[in-house]
């Protein structure tokens, strides 16, 4: 928090962190908040300067997001140890279809699958989870994520999306269990967050082919196994670079992207190969999963799913070294 709200002193940071507590039992009441030392006459004598347009603030925010590179987002027993790769890809397809049908923010889908992964990460048993259990937990994670983004998704919508195989009470019970297991920590950055940040840094317009292709590839990446081995920021770096390759950009790793990501070109090699292989594996083995391709075949998404995404077999061939 200090990296982002860099203008606040320790008293101010304590005040904000308590107000931002997602657990209502830990959050101060209005009376307790008003009694906090930060709101004393002395503390409030000088107004705090804070601007979303301030370049220093944006740089601090980028550093804050990059912290995920140093801190693993899951334990050493990720959920997909107990969820078959084909089942995972199908779940992602299911979640993105709900996003499409109910016109939700795609950010919620990425956040939901992050919750799903973390929720099951502590499971120590053997064997795989049933399809119904996976569908219930993934759907409920999306329900929770939509609340974070103030995007409307009701329990009735989930029941409808599951062909009435679930009921509202199932969702309520699962929601309580998930929030408890996650300890109300709901704001870990995702591939999508980094892709948006990096494409912003490159100055890519919303309607540009490069940006739309990066979003398309990021959703395909979510279906693959690449998430198991690499941090979201590194995957996102590879996603943007691969998007630039796909649309024919002269340099897939311009200086602006290097500076924004903090990675060198050589840092990308293993992740890029895994990303490319993972995307093509899902497409080859599960051609029935078409929701992502359909989304990006639409005119408003630039019809980028019609553009060929090359399979990377030789990393060095992607970029001619500069003199």
């Amino acid at each position: 928090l200090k990296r982002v709200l860099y203008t606040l002193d320790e008293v101010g940071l304590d005040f904000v962190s308590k107000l931002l507590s997602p657990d209502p039992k830990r959050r101060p009441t209005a009376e307790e908040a008003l009694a906090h030392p930060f709101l004393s006459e002395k503390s409030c004598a000088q107004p705090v300067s804070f601007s979303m347009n301030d370049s220093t603030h944006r740089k601090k925010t980028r550093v804050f997001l990059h912290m995920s590179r140093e801190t693993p987002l899951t334990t050493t027993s990720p959920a997909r140890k107990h969820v078959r790769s084909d089942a995972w890809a199908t779940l992602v397809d299911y979640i993105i279809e709900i996003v499409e049908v109910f016109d939700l923010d795609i950010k919620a889908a990425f956040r939901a699958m992050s919750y799903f992964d973390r929720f099951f990460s502590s499971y120590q048993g053997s064997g795989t989870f049933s399809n119904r259990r996976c569908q219930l937990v993934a759907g409920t994670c999306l329900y929770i994520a939509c609340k974070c983004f103030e995007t409307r998704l009701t329990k009735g919508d989930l029941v409808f999306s599951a062909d009435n195989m679930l009921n509202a009470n199932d969702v309520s019970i699962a929601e309580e269990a998930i929030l408890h297991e996650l300890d109300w920590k709901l704001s870990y950055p995702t591939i999508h967050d980094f892709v948006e940040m990096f494409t912003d840094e490159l100055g890519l317009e919303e309607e540009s082919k490069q940006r739309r292709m990066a979003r398309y590839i990021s959703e395909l990446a979510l279906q693959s196994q690449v998430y198991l081995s690499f941090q979201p920021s590194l995957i996102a770096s590879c996603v943007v670079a691969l998007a630039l390759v796909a649309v024919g950009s002269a340099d897939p790793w311009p200086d602006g992207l290097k500076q924004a990501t903090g990675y060198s070109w050589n840092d990308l090699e293993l992740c890029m190969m895994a990303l490319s292989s993972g995307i093509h594996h899902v497409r080859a083995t599960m051609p029935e999963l078409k929701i992502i391709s359909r989304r990006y075949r639409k005119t408003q998404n630039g019809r980028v799913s019609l553009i060929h995404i090359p399979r990377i077999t030789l990393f060095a061939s992607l970029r001619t070294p500069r003199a």
Side-chain angles (χ1 to χ4, degrees), residues 80 83-94 131 216 219-226 277-294 297:
R80 273 170 275 178
V83 179
R84 300 187 318 272
S85 59
D86 60 333
W88 174 270
T90 302
L91 275 175
V92 172
D93 200 69
Y94 164 67
N131 290 339
Y216 173 46
E219 292 181 33
L220 295 176
L222 190 59
Q223 286 188 312
S224 74
Q225 296 291 292
V226 68
S277 175
I279 288 174
H280 285 273
H281 174 76
V282 171
R283 285 176 148 186
T285 59
M286 287 168 278
E288 70 278 7
L289 302 183
K290 299 180 182 298
I291 184 63
I292 297 175
S293 293
R294 286 204 304 266
R297 201 175 295 136

Side-chain angles (χ1 to χ4, degrees), residues 184-239:
W184 292 83
K185 295 175 181 177
L186 306 176
S187 59
Y188 286 98
T190 67
I191 299 172
H192 177 85
D193 295 326
F194 285 107
V195 165
E196 292 301 301
M197 181 174 66
F198 298 157
T199 50
D200 275 343
E201 282 298 307
L202 285 177
L204 299 178
E205 298 291 337
E206 283 288 323
E207 299 79 14
S208 68
K209 278 271 193 285
Q210 296 97 323
R211 189 161 195 154
R212 285 167 167 168
M213 177 59 78
R215 289 170 174 167
Y216 173 46
I217 295 176
S218 71
E219 292 181 33
L220 295 176
L222 190 59
Q223 286 188 312
S224 74
Q225 296 291 292
V226 68
Y227 210 158
L228 289 172
S229 304
F230 303 96
Q231 288 286 356
S233 58
L234 180 56
I235 298 171
S237 300
C238 293
V239 163

Side-chain angles (χ1 to χ4, degrees), residues 2-301:
K2 188 174 183 178
R3 290 177 182 267
V4 180
L5 302 179
Y6 55 90
T7 60
L8 290 182
D9 59 16
E10 292 301 321
V11 177
L13 289 170
D14 178 72
F15 178 65
V16 174
S17 65
K18 287 178 177 176
L19 291 182
L20 291 178
S21 175
D23 187 348
K25 294 180 181 178
R26 299 178 184 176
R27 205 162 48 234
T29 63
E31 184 177 352
E32 290 169 340
L34 290 171
H36 193 279
F38 181 66
L39 296 183
S40 68
E41 182 177 346
K42 180 179 179 180
S43 296
C44 293
Q46 295 295 327
V48 176
S49 175
F50 185 80
S51 172
M52 289 301 292
N53 294 320
D54 182 77
S55 60
T56 303
H57 169 261
R58 288 189 285 108
K59 290 178 182 178
K60 294 284 186 178
T61 302
R62 288 197 294 274
V63 171
F64 173 72
L65 288 174
H66 272 71
M67 288 173 62
S68 68
R69 286 189 299 171
E70 285 95 44
T71 306
L73 302 186
T74 60
T75 69
T76 55
S77 300
R80 273 170 275 178
K81 174 182 176 182
H82 306 286
V83 179
R84 300 187 318 272
S85 59
D86 60 333
W88 174 270
T90 302
L91 275 175
V92 172
D93 200 69
Y94 164 67
I95 291 300
I96 292 182
E97 185 168 20
I98 296 175
V99 167
E100 184 77 355
V101 169
F102 294 101
D103 195 25
L104 307 175
D105 192 327
I106 189 60
K107 291 185 293 187
F110 283 85
R111 190 70 64 84
M113 297 314 294
S114 174
Y115 296 164
F116 179 93
D117 221 21
R118 289 168 49 216
F119 174 70
F120 279 129
S121 66
S122 60
Y123 181 74
Q124 300 299 318
S126 59
T128 57
F129 301 127
S130 69
N131 290 339
R132 184 184 182 280
R133 186 180 184 190
C134 287
Q135 188 178 43
L136 170 62
V137 174
T140 305
C141 285
L142 180 62
Y143 175 69
I144 295 170
C146 285
K147 290 184 178 181
C148 295
F149 295 115
E150 298 183 357
T151 301
R152 181 172 174 77
L153 179 70
T154 69
K155 294 175 184 176
D157 294 334
L158 279 182
V159 173
F160 171 79
S161 301
D163 296 326
N164 294 310
M165 291 176 61
L166 310 175
N167 59 58
N169 189 53
D170 292 333
V171 177
S172 296
I173 294 172
E175 180 183 17
E176 183 176 352
I178 292 167
L179 290 173
H180 174 76
E181 189 63 36
L182 299 184
D183 194 29
W184 292 83
K185 295 175 181 177
L186 306 176
S187 59
Y188 286 98
T190 67
I191 299 172
H192 177 85
D193 295 326
F194 285 107
V195 165
E196 292 301 301
M197 181 174 66
F198 298 157
T199 50
D200 275 343
E201 282 298 307
L202 285 177
L204 299 178
E205 298 291 337
E206 283 288 323
E207 299 79 14
S208 68
K209 278 271 193 285
Q210 296 97 323
R211 189 161 195 154
R212 285 167 167 168
M213 177 59 78
R215 289 170 174 167
Y216 173 46
I217 295 176
S218 71
E219 292 181 33
L220 295 176
L222 190 59
Q223 286 188 312
S224 74
Q225 296 291 292
V226 68
Y227 210 158
L228 289 172
S229 304
F230 303 96
Q231 288 286 356
S233 58
L234 180 56
I235 298 171
S237 300
C238 293
V239 163
V240 177
L242 185 56
L244 294 178
V245 170
V247 300
S249 296
D251 185 0
W253 197 245
D255 289 339
L257 193 52
K258 177 182 177 180
Q259 293 169 8
T261 66
Y263 291 112
S264 70
W265 175 247
N266 290 334
D267 290 335
L268 273 59
E269 183 171 3
L270 292 178
C271 184
M272 179 69 84
M273 300 297 284
L275 172 65
S276 175
S277 175
I279 288 174
H280 285 273
H281 174 76
V282 171
R283 285 176 148 186
T285 59
M286 287 168 278
E288 70 278 7
L289 302 183
K290 299 180 182 298
I291 184 63
I292 297 175
S293 293
R294 286 204 304 266
R295 273 169 55 79
Y296 287 90
R297 201 175 295 136
K298 295 179 179 180
T299 303
Q300 62 263 40
N301 286 326

